[in-house]
């Protein structure tokens, strides 16, 4: 006899486990199915452990530049196994936290591989054990995995995905990073700060291609200044791992192909949704290039089947998945949540310097037909940034000249991943330039640059 629930969630990443908690709060009898570790990729192999690594490289950078702050440090060094161990402990602590949250909220956890066998029915297999579950609603939150190069699959030794790059057995001496999205740039930043010679290869004309063009240009200059070599408009024609390194054939923007040797390569060219072999095809669930099609509430075309997170398409962000989970559960419970508005989802890159953004870039706003007012304020004009020794970067805001609507905000520099939420809230509240101008920003803070950028869009900047 099948175990009966109101809701079954397949996948326990930040979308799945948050949806489970919200469902429990709303009185739904809930089960969650996970084939690996509670918390999914983000908590165990993505967002959290990578930030632990980046914090280590940030501190190491400050150690090697202690003299800039009037300090002295003799022969700074590092212990790679301990760096990895700390990162894994951070992930482990949060994994245990999710287990505690499931128990606290009385969510039943099934370990194993889940397959949807019919509407409202799901089978979980773990070794020789099989569990039959049934529920009125099923949420698919199976996430995504790293995309391999078709001619060179990651081997974990010389050719890495992000998972391999987080638990290196040796420090790369000469590292090739293929792809310059957030993941690629973050790993390039980490390994460069730890002493590796890094080359980034990006097939598009600029790095961080989804960001504002000025941000991309600034990041390229900043990373180049850090001695990271950047090849844009370039592609990888071949990648051959060997016992002591990997040989890459790189096609430059001029069309010439050169062969170069690296100690290791990280492939960061995108993701593949985990939609195979979970029963979607038999049910007729619609997909688009592997991603599940949903409406603004997470509903698929099949009654009772919902989907959230990376498996539904871009942006592939943990906070988007969590928010989608809450919306879906509240809708199925009879509530009236807002539909998902992807235009108000912030994006963050935790490199050195950091990048953060929300809404439209200047170019996208103009393409959409807006007459825009643009404000830009540099870190060098901010007292707190100068005091921190982090005077490189800028804040940029884009407004509709007719209505004062904040169309987008784009930042590059120290701690901008924390600052961006101010603009996200402003967009969610449909704030105009008037309210932002009248807001009091504490002094001395980096957030004052947000105010100055808004003022600058209307010719009223005070400190530049």
């Amino acid at each position: 006899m099948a175990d009966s629930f109101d809701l079954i969630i397949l996948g326990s990443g930040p979308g799945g486990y948050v949806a489970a908690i919200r469902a429990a709060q709303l009185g739904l009898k809930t089960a969650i199915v996970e084939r690996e570790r509670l918390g999914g990729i983000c908590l165990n192999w993505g967002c959290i452990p990578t930030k632990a690594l980046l914090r280590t490289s940030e501190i190491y950078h400050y150690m090697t530049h202690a003299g800039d702050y009037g300090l002295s440090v003799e022969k700074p060094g590092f212990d790679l196994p301990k760096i990895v161990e700390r990162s894994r402990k951070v992930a482990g602590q949060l994994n245990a936290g999710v287990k505690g949250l499931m128990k606290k909220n009385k969510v039943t956890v099934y370990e194993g591989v889940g397959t949807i066998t019919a509407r409202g029915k799901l089978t979980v297999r773990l070794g020789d054990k099989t569990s039959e579950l049934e529920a009125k609603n099923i949420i698919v939150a199976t996430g995504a995995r790293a995309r391999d190069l078709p001619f060179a699959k990651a081997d974990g030794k010389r050719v890495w995905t992000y998972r391999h790059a987080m638990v290196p057995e040796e420090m790369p001496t000469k590292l090739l990073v293929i792809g310059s999205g957030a993941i690629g740039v973050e790993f390039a930043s980490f390994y460069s700060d730890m002493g590796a010679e890094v080359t980034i290869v990006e097939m598009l004309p600029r790095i961080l291609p989804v960001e504002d063009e000025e941000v991309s240009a600034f990041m390229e200059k900043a990373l180049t200044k850090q001695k990271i070599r950047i090849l844009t408009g370039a592609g990888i024609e071949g990648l051959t791992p060997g016992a002591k390194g990997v040989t890459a054939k790189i096609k430059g923007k001029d069309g010439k192909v050169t062969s170069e040797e690296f100690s290791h390569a990280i492939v960061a060219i995108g993701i593949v949704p985990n939609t195979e072999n979970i029963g979607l095809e038999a049910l007729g669930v619609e997909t688009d290039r592997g991603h599940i099609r949903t409406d603004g509430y997470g509903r698929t075309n099949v009654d009772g089947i919902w989907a959230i997170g990376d498996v539904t398409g871009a942006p592939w962000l943990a906070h988007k998945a969590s928010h989608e989970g809450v919306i879906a559960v509240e809708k199925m419970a009879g509530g009236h949540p807002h539909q998902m508005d992807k235009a108000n989802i912030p994006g963050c890159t935790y490199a050195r310097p950091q990048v953060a953004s929300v809404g439209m870039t200047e170019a996208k706003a103009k393409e959409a037909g807006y007459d825009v007012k643009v404000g830009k304020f540099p870190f060098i004009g901010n007292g707190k940034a100068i005091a921190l020794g982090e005077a490189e970067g800028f804040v940029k805001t884009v407004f509709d000249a007719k209505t004062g609507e904040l169309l987008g905000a784009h930042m590059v520099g120290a701690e901008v991943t924390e600052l961006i939420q101010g603009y996200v809230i402003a967009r969610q509240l449909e704030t105009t330039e008037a309210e932002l101008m009248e807001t009091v920003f504490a002094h001395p803070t980096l957030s004052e640059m947000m105010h100055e950028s808004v003022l600058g869009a209307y010719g009223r900047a005070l400190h530049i």
Side-chain angles (χ1 to χ4, degrees):
M1 184 175 177
D3 296 337
S4 183
F5 298 90
D6 296 315
L7 170 64
I8 301 167
I9 301 169
L10 185 57
S12 73
Y17 87 75
V18 168
I21 293 170
R22 184 64 185 130
Q25 290 173 344
L26 293 171
L28 301 181
K29 185 182 179 184
T30 304
I32 197 163
V33 179
E34 175 56 54
R35 67 181 181 181
E36 291 187 26
R37 293 169 62 86
L38 285 172
I41 293 298
C42 174
L43 189 152
N44 293 288
W45 292 103
C47 323
I48 303 302
T50 55
K51 303 311 162 281
L53 293 176
L54 285 161
R55 177 61 170 165
T56 292
S57 64
E58 179 184 38
I59 292 173
Y60 188 64
H61 166 73
Y62 287 130
M63 287 172 63
T64 57
H65 292 78
D68 295 343
Y69 298 87
L71 304 174
S72 60
V73 176
E74 292 185 13
K75 296 182 180 178
F78 61 86
D79 185 324
L80 183 59
K82 287 186 177 180
I83 292 173
V84 173
E85 180 185 8
R86 176 180 179 273
S87 174
R88 301 316 307 154
K89 279 184 177 179
V90 169
Q93 180 179 341
L94 291 172
N95 169 261
V98 174
K99 288 180 180 177
L101 288 170
M102 295 300 97
K103 184 176 180 180
K104 174 186 175 183
N105 289 280
K106 297 180 174 57
V107 175
T108 304
V109 177
Y110 289 86
E111 296 181 358
V113 177
T115 306
I116 303 170
T117 55
R119 289 190 186 185
K121 296 186 182 297
L122 189 145
T123 297
V124 184
R125 291 185 174 85
L126 181 63
D128 297 330
K129 181 183 177 182
T130 300
S131 301
E132 299 293 338
L133 315 182
E134 63 180 17
K136 180 181 178 182
N137 291 295
I138 296 173
I139 293 179
V140 179
T142 47
R145 61 188 183 275
R147 185 182 297 277
D148 273 316
L149 286 170
F151 48 80
K153 292 191 182 254
D155 60 10
K157 295 179 180 179
R158 295 295 168 185
V159 181
W160 295 346
T161 65
Y162 62 86
R163 291 183 72 143
H164 305 122
M166 277 187 284
V167 288
E169 294 182 0
E170 61 182 4
M171 182 61 66
T173 54
K174 189 176 180 183
L175 176 66
L176 171 64
V177 177
I178 305 168
S180 73
I183 292 174
V185 169
E186 285 179 4
F187 277 118
S189 181
F190 168 75
Y191 280 108
S192 175
D193 274 347
M194 299 309 295
E197 182 183 336
V198 178
T199 295
I200 297 175
V201 172
E202 170 57 58
M203 65 185 301
L204 294 175
R206 57 191 177 92
I207 63 170
L208 294 173
V210 302
E211 300 293 347
D212 187 88
E213 288 185 22
E214 286 190 275
V215 170
S216 292
F218 183 93
M219 276 298 287
E220 181 166 349
K221 289 180 181 179
L223 296 178
T224 300
K225 187 177 179 181
Q226 295 172 32
K227 299 183 179 178
I228 294 176
R229 177 182 172 218
I230 297 174
L231 303 176
T232 54
I236 301 297
E237 299 283 295
L239 202 63
T240 307
K244 295 183 179 180
V246 58
T247 303
K249 289 184 178 179
I250 303 173
K251 185 177 182 179
K253 61 176 63 177
D254 59 0
K256 293 182 180 179
V257 178
T258 59
S259 182
E260 292 192 41
E261 299 294 325
F262 298 88
S263 65
H264 301 80
I266 296 175
V267 179
I269 57 172
I271 59 94
V272 179
N274 294 323
T275 48
E276 312 98 324
N277 305 317
I278 58 175
L280 299 180
E281 298 89 351
L283 287 173
V285 175
E286 291 181 357
T287 60
D288 179 9
R289 288 173 290 181
H291 290 97
I292 300 172
R293 289 175 179 253
T294 60
D295 66 6
Y297 299 105
R299 295 178 295 200
T300 71
N301 65 303
V302 177
D303 188 43
I305 304 295
W306 307 63
I308 61 174
D310 288 358
V311 78
T312 66
W316 299 285
L317 300 168
H319 42 284
K320 174 247 195 185
S322 296
H323 203 64
E324 284 181 325
V326 171
I327 291 171
V329 167
E330 290 183 350
K331 187 66 174 177
M332 73 176 65
H336 303 282
H338 64 276
Q339 293 192 47
M340 188 69 185
D341 183 357
K342 294 182 179 180
N344 286 344
I345 300 173
C348 298
T349 300
Y350 298 81
R352 187 177 63 81
Q354 295 178 5
V355 174
S357 61
V358 66
M360 286 188 278
T361 64
E362 180 181 355
K364 288 292 183 183
K366 289 178 178 177
E367 285 176 19
Y370 287 99
D371 179 16
V372 300
K373 283 186 176 293
V374 178
K376 187 176 171 184
F377 192 83
F379 269 53
I380 193 65
N382 178 264
K384 180 68 178 292
I386 295 170
L388 290 175
E390 300 287 356
E392 294 188 0
F394 64 84
V395 176
K396 178 178 179 178
T397 44
V398 183
F399 291 91
D400 179 351
K402 294 179 181 178
T403 67
E405 177 188 356
L406 176 62
L407 299 175
H410 310 275
M411 306 172 165
V412 57
E415 304 304 329
V416 296
T417 57
E418 297 291 340
L419 296 177
I420 192 63
Q421 198 60 31
Y423 286 135
V424 177
I425 293 170
R427 279 182 54 82
Q428 188 67 30
L429 296 178
E430 299 181 353
T431 301
T432 68
E433 94 290 352
E435 289 83 14
L436 289 168
M437 285 182 181
E438 292 167 6
T439 299
V440 178
F441 288 73
H443 175 79
T445 64
L446 296 176
S447 68
E448 290 176 278
M449 291 183 287
M450 299 168 64
H451 193 211
E452 290 279 8
S453 179
V454 174
L455 293 170
Y458 291 83
R460 293 176 52 182
L462 299 170
H463 290 90
I464 189 172

